[in-house]
Amino acid sequence: MHLPPEHPASRPPPGAGPVEAVAGSGGVAPPAVAAVPLDADDTRGAHLGRLLRSPLTISLGSVLVIACFVGGTMAAGPLAGLGVAAVGALLVFLIAWVLASGAAREDFFSHYAAARGLNRAPGRTTLPPTTPLLRKGDRRYAEQVMNGTLPGGSPGAIGLYTYEIETTDGDGDDDTDHYRFTVVLHDIPSAAVKVSDVYCQRREGFRFMDSAEDAFRRMQRLELESDALDRRYEVFYGAGDDTNWMKQFFSPSFIVWLTERTPKDFAFEFSAGSLCVNVKGQCNDAGELDALCIAAGEVARRLAGEAAE
């Protein structure tokens, strides 16, 4: 698996709270430090205010609003002119909102990567197509990819992943459907000696259809005596893999952890030494990213540990 190079000073996440300054006598108070953004919206208000107050926005916005008023007035009278001018002002605000949201998102991921000693790849990049999820769609890409020692202590990478599917409706119009995930990737070559493929996928179909669907699969379905696991997941493994090894891997304690302690919409795929842990949607919150990294590390350690036995 080819991932962006690790940051030379990778380290686990810092403590939960900032270190408070101790007040002294007669000293000069230290300058205020801007709060570290905890999600991708934290600094949006500050960016929005700055944009709306900037001379460039005021100048261009005024020109647009005046032009809208004049055009509307000439076309349908003063009331229409006021309505069109209001639309122009709203357009200016929406543009500033979009720009502010993008800047706040960059603030968050930049601070998140720096605070945890991770290397962040700018812009869009690609992920190695090592598991079924990473091969889906007509197009696929990743954003905000960060790698190094992730929260939880395991080396790997985390990023926002999207795949797209092109569709055509009955009128011949093209459309694109976007499917978004947050993924954590780990390399575990030692586990590939014991098992070729393990897919712990979110259950999306009816359980009574399992037998009919399995007739068309190349993978084996793992049947376990856990109704909680069966309601939430479908587990498959390679056609030539050992069933007993799989049952040892999915031990009772691991099943309890999967069904009770993992993030919402959690799933994982392991194939040929590569692990892709994922949740639906794109996480823009430090706590959610940390929790996903820690959960992914738990799966990676369990795979490596079971392979070593």
Side-chain angles (χ1 to χ4, degrees), residues 233-252:
Y233 297 106
E234 293 181 278
V235 180
F236 302 98
Y237 59 107
D241 291 330
D242 181 40
T243 301
N244 289 330
W245 189 94
M246 285 292 299
K247 289 183 177 180
Q248 291 174 359
F249 176 65
F250 281 88
S251 66

PDB file of all heavy atoms in Angstrom, residues 233-252:
ATOM      1  N   TYR A 233     -24.316  -6.648  11.274  1.00  0.00           N
ATOM      2  CA  TYR A 233     -23.270  -6.920  10.285  1.00  0.00           C
ATOM      3  C   TYR A 233     -23.562  -8.173   9.479  1.00  0.00           C
ATOM      4  O   TYR A 233     -24.311  -9.057   9.901  1.00  0.00           O
ATOM      5  CB  TYR A 233     -21.917  -7.126  10.979  1.00  0.00           C
ATOM      6  CG  TYR A 233     -21.389  -5.925  11.727  1.00  0.00           C
ATOM      7  CD1 TYR A 233     -21.412  -5.891  13.128  1.00  0.00           C
ATOM      8  CD2 TYR A 233     -20.856  -4.836  11.050  1.00  0.00           C
ATOM      9  CE1 TYR A 233     -20.917  -4.804  13.823  1.00  0.00           C
ATOM     10  CE2 TYR A 233     -20.357  -3.739  11.737  1.00  0.00           C
ATOM     11  CZ  TYR A 233     -20.393  -3.728  13.122  1.00  0.00           C
ATOM     12  OH  TYR A 233     -19.908  -2.651  13.807  1.00  0.00           O
ATOM     13  N   GLU A 234     -22.891  -8.227   8.321  1.00  0.00           N
ATOM     14  CA  GLU A 234     -22.730  -9.457   7.559  1.00  0.00           C
ATOM     15  C   GLU A 234     -21.233  -9.696   7.460  1.00  0.00           C
ATOM     16  O   GLU A 234     -20.481  -8.798   7.071  1.00  0.00           O
ATOM     17  CB  GLU A 234     -23.341  -9.333   6.167  1.00  0.00           C
ATOM     18  CG  GLU A 234     -24.849  -9.193   6.160  1.00  0.00           C
ATOM     19  CD  GLU A 234     -25.397  -9.095   4.738  1.00  0.00           C
ATOM     20  OE1 GLU A 234     -25.358  -7.991   4.166  1.00  0.00           O
ATOM     21  OE2 GLU A 234     -25.847 -10.127   4.200  1.00  0.00           O
ATOM     22  N   VAL A 235     -20.786 -10.900   7.809  1.00  0.00           N
ATOM     23  CA  VAL A 235     -19.355 -11.215   7.827  1.00  0.00           C
ATOM     24  C   VAL A 235     -19.058 -12.264   6.763  1.00  0.00           C
ATOM     25  O   VAL A 235     -19.692 -13.320   6.724  1.00  0.00           O
ATOM     26  CB  VAL A 235     -18.920 -11.728   9.217  1.00  0.00           C
ATOM     27  CG1 VAL A 235     -17.421 -12.039   9.206  1.00  0.00           C
ATOM     28  CG2 VAL A 235     -19.247 -10.700  10.295  1.00  0.00           C
ATOM     29  N   PHE A 236     -18.079 -11.954   5.917  1.00  0.00           N
ATOM     30  CA  PHE A 236     -17.679 -12.873   4.851  1.00  0.00           C
ATOM     31  C   PHE A 236     -16.171 -13.087   4.922  1.00  0.00           C
ATOM     32  O   PHE A 236     -15.420 -12.228   5.399  1.00  0.00           O
ATOM     33  CB  PHE A 236     -18.057 -12.307   3.476  1.00  0.00           C
ATOM     34  CG  PHE A 236     -19.524 -12.010   3.323  1.00  0.00           C
ATOM     35  CD1 PHE A 236     -19.999 -10.721   3.507  1.00  0.00           C
ATOM     36  CD2 PHE A 236     -20.408 -13.008   2.994  1.00  0.00           C
ATOM     37  CE1 PHE A 236     -21.350 -10.436   3.371  1.00  0.00           C
ATOM     38  CE2 PHE A 236     -21.768 -12.745   2.864  1.00  0.00           C
ATOM     39  CZ  PHE A 236     -22.239 -11.452   3.052  1.00  0.00           C
ATOM     40  N   TYR A 237     -15.735 -14.231   4.407  1.00  0.00           N
ATOM     41  CA  TYR A 237     -14.311 -14.516   4.358  1.00  0.00           C
ATOM     42  C   TYR A 237     -14.005 -15.329   3.106  1.00  0.00           C
ATOM     43  O   TYR A 237     -14.912 -15.823   2.424  1.00  0.00           O
ATOM     44  CB  TYR A 237     -13.840 -15.238   5.627  1.00  0.00           C
ATOM     45  CG  TYR A 237     -14.508 -16.556   5.924  1.00  0.00           C
ATOM     46  CD1 TYR A 237     -13.836 -17.762   5.738  1.00  0.00           C
ATOM     47  CD2 TYR A 237     -15.815 -16.612   6.417  1.00  0.00           C
ATOM     48  CE1 TYR A 237     -14.438 -18.970   6.022  1.00  0.00           C
ATOM     49  CE2 TYR A 237     -16.424 -17.816   6.708  1.00  0.00           C
ATOM     50  CZ  TYR A 237     -15.725 -18.989   6.506  1.00  0.00           C
ATOM     51  OH  TYR A 237     -16.334 -20.197   6.787  1.00  0.00           O
ATOM     52  N   GLY A 238     -12.705 -15.419   2.784  1.00  0.00           N
ATOM     53  CA  GLY A 238     -12.289 -16.026   1.530  1.00  0.00           C
ATOM     54  C   GLY A 238     -12.705 -17.473   1.377  1.00  0.00           C
ATOM     55  O   GLY A 238     -12.806 -18.225   2.354  1.00  0.00           O
ATOM     56  N   ALA A 239     -12.916 -17.868   0.126  1.00  0.00           N
ATOM     57  CA  ALA A 239     -13.386 -19.227  -0.159  1.00  0.00           C
ATOM     58  C   ALA A 239     -12.418 -20.286   0.354  1.00  0.00           C
ATOM     59  O   ALA A 239     -12.838 -21.385   0.736  1.00  0.00           O
ATOM     60  CB  ALA A 239     -13.592 -19.389  -1.660  1.00  0.00           C
ATOM     61  N   GLY A 240     -11.142 -19.980   0.392  1.00  0.00           N
ATOM     62  CA  GLY A 240     -10.165 -20.962   0.849  1.00  0.00           C
ATOM     63  C   GLY A 240      -9.688 -20.742   2.269  1.00  0.00           C
ATOM     64  O   GLY A 240      -8.752 -21.430   2.717  1.00  0.00           O
ATOM     65  N   ASP A 241     -10.290 -19.800   2.982  1.00  0.00           N
ATOM     66  CA  ASP A 241      -9.853 -19.494   4.339  1.00  0.00           C
ATOM     67  C   ASP A 241     -10.444 -20.455   5.359  1.00  0.00           C
ATOM     68  O   ASP A 241     -11.491 -21.069   5.133  1.00  0.00           O
ATOM     69  CB  ASP A 241     -10.217 -18.056   4.700  1.00  0.00           C
ATOM     70  CG  ASP A 241      -9.405 -17.034   3.915  1.00  0.00           C
ATOM     71  OD1 ASP A 241      -8.255 -17.345   3.551  1.00  0.00           O
ATOM     72  OD2 ASP A 241      -9.927 -15.934   3.642  1.00  0.00           O
ATOM     73  N   ASP A 242      -9.769 -20.537   6.509  1.00  0.00           N
ATOM     74  CA  ASP A 242     -10.136 -21.506   7.540  1.00  0.00           C
ATOM     75  C   ASP A 242     -11.282 -20.979   8.409  1.00  0.00           C
ATOM     76  O   ASP A 242     -11.173 -19.911   9.032  1.00  0.00           O
ATOM     77  CB  ASP A 242      -8.907 -21.791   8.405  1.00  0.00           C
ATOM     78  CG  ASP A 242      -9.190 -22.814   9.480  1.00  0.00           C
ATOM     79  OD1 ASP A 242      -9.891 -23.799   9.204  1.00  0.00           O
ATOM     80  OD2 ASP A 242      -8.723 -22.619  10.622  1.00  0.00           O
ATOM     81  N   THR A 243     -12.353 -21.740   8.473  1.00  0.00           N
ATOM     82  CA  THR A 243     -13.522 -21.337   9.251  1.00  0.00           C
ATOM     83  C   THR A 243     -13.197 -21.275  10.740  1.00  0.00           C
ATOM     84  O   THR A 243     -13.647 -20.361  11.445  1.00  0.00           O
ATOM     85  CB  THR A 243     -14.686 -22.311   9.018  1.00  0.00           C
ATOM     86  OG1 THR A 243     -15.007 -22.335   7.620  1.00  0.00           O
ATOM     87  CG2 THR A 243     -15.923 -21.875   9.797  1.00  0.00           C
ATOM     88  N   ASN A 244     -12.426 -22.219  11.235  1.00  0.00           N
ATOM     89  CA  ASN A 244     -12.091 -22.217  12.659  1.00  0.00           C
ATOM     90  C   ASN A 244     -11.286 -20.980  13.044  1.00  0.00           C
ATOM     91  O   ASN A 244     -11.487 -20.410  14.124  1.00  0.00           O
ATOM     92  CB  ASN A 244     -11.308 -23.487  13.019  1.00  0.00           C
ATOM     93  CG  ASN A 244     -12.176 -24.738  12.984  1.00  0.00           C
ATOM     94  OD1 ASN A 244     -13.383 -24.663  13.247  1.00  0.00           O
ATOM     95  ND2 ASN A 244     -11.587 -25.870  12.653  1.00  0.00           N
ATOM     96  N   TRP A 245     -10.365 -20.589  12.177  1.00  0.00           N
ATOM     97  CA  TRP A 245      -9.590 -19.375  12.460  1.00  0.00           C
ATOM     98  C   TRP A 245     -10.515 -18.166  12.535  1.00  0.00           C
ATOM     99  O   TRP A 245     -10.362 -17.300  13.408  1.00  0.00           O
ATOM    100  CB  TRP A 245      -8.531 -19.155  11.381  1.00  0.00           C
ATOM    101  CG  TRP A 245      -7.556 -18.060  11.715  1.00  0.00           C
ATOM    102  CD1 TRP A 245      -6.347 -18.214  12.326  1.00  0.00           C
ATOM    103  CD2 TRP A 245      -7.720 -16.653  11.484  1.00  0.00           C
ATOM    104  NE1 TRP A 245      -5.740 -16.991  12.490  1.00  0.00           N
ATOM    105  CE2 TRP A 245      -6.560 -16.012  11.984  1.00  0.00           C
ATOM    106  CE3 TRP A 245      -8.711 -15.872  10.908  1.00  0.00           C
ATOM    107  CZ2 TRP A 245      -6.373 -14.628  11.920  1.00  0.00           C
ATOM    108  CZ3 TRP A 245      -8.550 -14.496  10.855  1.00  0.00           C
ATOM    109  CH2 TRP A 245      -7.390 -13.879  11.355  1.00  0.00           C
ATOM    110  N   MET A 246     -11.481 -18.088  11.633  1.00  0.00           N
ATOM    111  CA  MET A 246     -12.426 -16.977  11.624  1.00  0.00           C
ATOM    112  C   MET A 246     -13.251 -16.952  12.905  1.00  0.00           C
ATOM    113  O   MET A 246     -13.489 -15.888  13.482  1.00  0.00           O
ATOM    114  CB  MET A 246     -13.349 -17.079  10.410  1.00  0.00           C
ATOM    115  CG  MET A 246     -12.684 -16.680   9.103  1.00  0.00           C
ATOM    116  SD  MET A 246     -12.292 -14.913   9.042  1.00  0.00           S
ATOM    117  CE  MET A 246     -13.925 -14.215   9.183  1.00  0.00           C
ATOM    118  N   LYS A 247     -13.680 -18.112  13.376  1.00  0.00           N
ATOM    119  CA  LYS A 247     -14.476 -18.151  14.605  1.00  0.00           C
ATOM    120  C   LYS A 247     -13.639 -17.750  15.819  1.00  0.00           C
ATOM    121  O   LYS A 247     -14.153 -17.145  16.761  1.00  0.00           O
ATOM    122  CB  LYS A 247     -15.070 -19.546  14.788  1.00  0.00           C
ATOM    123  CG  LYS A 247     -16.180 -19.858  13.781  1.00  0.00           C
ATOM    124  CD  LYS A 247     -16.817 -21.213  14.025  1.00  0.00           C
ATOM    125  CE  LYS A 247     -17.963 -21.450  13.056  1.00  0.00           C
ATOM    126  NZ  LYS A 247     -18.615 -22.766  13.275  1.00  0.00           N
ATOM    127  N   GLN A 248     -12.347 -18.069  15.789  1.00  0.00           N
ATOM    128  CA  GLN A 248     -11.476 -17.617  16.872  1.00  0.00           C
ATOM    129  C   GLN A 248     -11.272 -16.111  16.812  1.00  0.00           C
ATOM    130  O   GLN A 248     -11.225 -15.437  17.852  1.00  0.00           O
ATOM    131  CB  GLN A 248     -10.127 -18.337  16.781  1.00  0.00           C
ATOM    132  CG  GLN A 248     -10.205 -19.819  17.109  1.00  0.00           C
ATOM    133  CD  GLN A 248      -8.889 -20.537  16.859  1.00  0.00           C
ATOM    134  OE1 GLN A 248      -7.917 -19.932  16.423  1.00  0.00           O
ATOM    135  NE2 GLN A 248      -8.865 -21.836  17.136  1.00  0.00           N
ATOM    136  N   PHE A 249     -11.155 -15.594  15.604  1.00  0.00           N
ATOM    137  CA  PHE A 249     -10.983 -14.147  15.449  1.00  0.00           C
ATOM    138  C   PHE A 249     -12.220 -13.403  15.959  1.00  0.00           C
ATOM    139  O   PHE A 249     -12.116 -12.424  16.694  1.00  0.00           O
ATOM    140  CB  PHE A 249     -10.710 -13.807  13.978  1.00  0.00           C
ATOM    141  CG  PHE A 249     -10.625 -12.336  13.698  1.00  0.00           C
ATOM    142  CD1 PHE A 249      -9.612 -11.564  14.243  1.00  0.00           C
ATOM    143  CD2 PHE A 249     -11.572 -11.717  12.886  1.00  0.00           C
ATOM    144  CE1 PHE A 249      -9.532 -10.198  13.981  1.00  0.00           C
ATOM    145  CE2 PHE A 249     -11.500 -10.361  12.622  1.00  0.00           C
ATOM    146  CZ  PHE A 249     -10.478  -9.594  13.173  1.00  0.00           C
ATOM    147  N   PHE A 250     -13.397 -13.870  15.569  1.00  0.00           N
ATOM    148  CA  PHE A 250     -14.649 -13.267  16.045  1.00  0.00           C
ATOM    149  C   PHE A 250     -15.048 -13.932  17.365  1.00  0.00           C
ATOM    150  O   PHE A 250     -16.080 -14.595  17.470  1.00  0.00           O
ATOM    151  CB  PHE A 250     -15.751 -13.418  15.001  1.00  0.00           C
ATOM    152  CG  PHE A 250     -15.663 -12.420  13.888  1.00  0.00           C
ATOM    153  CD1 PHE A 250     -14.890 -12.700  12.760  1.00  0.00           C
ATOM    154  CD2 PHE A 250     -16.303 -11.192  13.959  1.00  0.00           C
ATOM    155  CE1 PHE A 250     -14.793 -11.780  11.724  1.00  0.00           C
ATOM    156  CE2 PHE A 250     -16.206 -10.272  12.930  1.00  0.00           C
ATOM    157  CZ  PHE A 250     -15.442 -10.554  11.813  1.00  0.00           C
ATOM    158  N   SER A 251     -14.225 -13.717  18.366  1.00  0.00           N
ATOM    159  CA  SER A 251     -14.470 -14.278  19.700  1.00  0.00           C
ATOM    160  C   SER A 251     -15.652 -13.564  20.354  1.00  0.00           C
ATOM    161  O   SER A 251     -16.060 -12.478  19.910  1.00  0.00           O
ATOM    162  CB  SER A 251     -13.231 -14.108  20.566  1.00  0.00           C
ATOM    163  OG  SER A 251     -12.999 -12.724  20.819  1.00  0.00           O
ATOM    164  N   PRO A 252     -16.218 -14.121  21.414  1.00  0.00           N
ATOM    165  CA  PRO A 252     -17.336 -13.450  22.096  1.00  0.00           C
ATOM    166  C   PRO A 252     -16.998 -12.029  22.544  1.00  0.00           C
ATOM    167  O   PRO A 252     -17.827 -11.128  22.421  1.00  0.00           O
ATOM    168  CB  PRO A 252     -17.612 -14.374  23.288  1.00  0.00           C
ATOM    169  CG  PRO A 252     -17.200 -15.729  22.799  1.00  0.00           C
ATOM    170  CD  PRO A 252     -16.000 -15.491  21.943  1.00  0.00           C
TER     171      PRO A 252
END
